[in-house]
Amino acid sequence: MTQQTEQVATKSPAMTKPLEGVPLPDLERVPDYERGFWEGTRAGELRIQRCADCGRFRHLPTPMCPECSSLEYDWTPVSGRGFVYSFVIVRHPVHPAIREKEQTPYNICMIELEEQEGLRICSNVLQVAPEDICIDMPVQVTFVPSVDNPDVVLPVFLPASEQ
């Protein structure tokens, strides 16, 4: 068996859905300055907070713009296209639900969205083996209701070629 054949034979399975049993936002207690994000995911849109004064996008949402200190913002739908900026493959889980449900390996990816340099969101990339995830890999958002609470719709990403 060649080294290349060995690598193909030992590929880890692709992550096919979001993790189960991990903490989710309590949508009834989400602060007003985060609510638009979760309302967007339920509507099948990736909405990012944007300063109404200077126009900068920001994620994670905050009550005040870090660029101009404005307290005015709106929720702007974005394309959901971007690339993998950074990632880690978790093989030894800490959270008990991940261990119990044997949900490893899984990925945690920092996705840079195309709308603005430095605009990043932390998520998972589905339908790709951990060994095939790479920096600069083009991705596209999709939305998946959480198994643990279907009212919480999670933005996850697919390789752009999968869309």
Side-chain angles (χ1 to χ4, degrees):
M1 194 182 271
T2 68
Q3 184 176 5
Q4 184 178 14
T5 305
E6 285 177 31
Q7 287 177 341
V8 170
T10 60
K11 268 196 181 182
S12 300
M15 190 174 176
T16 59
K17 59 184 180 175
L19 297 170
E20 295 178 31
V22 296
L24 295 169
D26 179 347
L27 297 178
E28 306 232 347
R29 302 181 117 184
V30 169
D32 286 343
Y33 64 85
E34 291 179 12
R35 192 166 313 284
F37 178 81
W38 295 109
E39 289 170 350
T41 63
R42 281 197 309 264
E45 289 185 329
L46 186 58
R47 296 178 189 165
I48 300 294
Q49 196 180 63
R50 187 175 202 169
C51 178
D53 289 332
C54 75
R56 292 282 297 174
F57 284 106
R58 59 183 186 254
H59 190 78
L60 296 165
T62 59
M64 180 186 291
C65 178
E67 293 293 319
C68 72
S69 301
S70 172
L71 297 174
E72 302 300 319
Y73 60 85
D74 53 37
W75 290 97
T76 304
V78 296
S79 68
R81 290 187 302 272
F83 64 89
V84 175
Y85 178 82
S86 181
F87 71 98
V88 63
I89 305 299
V90 179
R91 297 182 187 279
H92 302 284
V94 175
H95 197 281
I98 298 170
R99 282 195 309 269
E100 290 165 11
K101 294 177 184 273
E102 298 180 1
Q103 300 179 89
T104 55
Y106 66 92
N107 66 73
I108 302 170
C109 296
M110 187 64 67
I111 307 299
E112 184 157 324
L113 299 172
E114 70 180 8
E115 280 76 12
Q116 177 180 291
E117 185 177 341
L119 177 59
R120 299 182 189 127
I121 183 170
C122 189
S123 188
N124 307 111
V125 177
L126 306 182
Q127 309 301 334
V128 62
E131 296 83 1
D132 293 336
I133 296 173
C134 60
I135 302 297
D136 291 332
M137 181 174 126
V139 293
Q140 174 67 46
V141 75
T142 191
F143 301 92
V144 180
S146 167
V147 170
D148 300 309
N149 179 353
D151 288 337
V152 177
V153 178
L154 302 169
V156 293
F157 290 80
L158 296 172
S161 61
E162 297 288 318
Q163 287 284 309

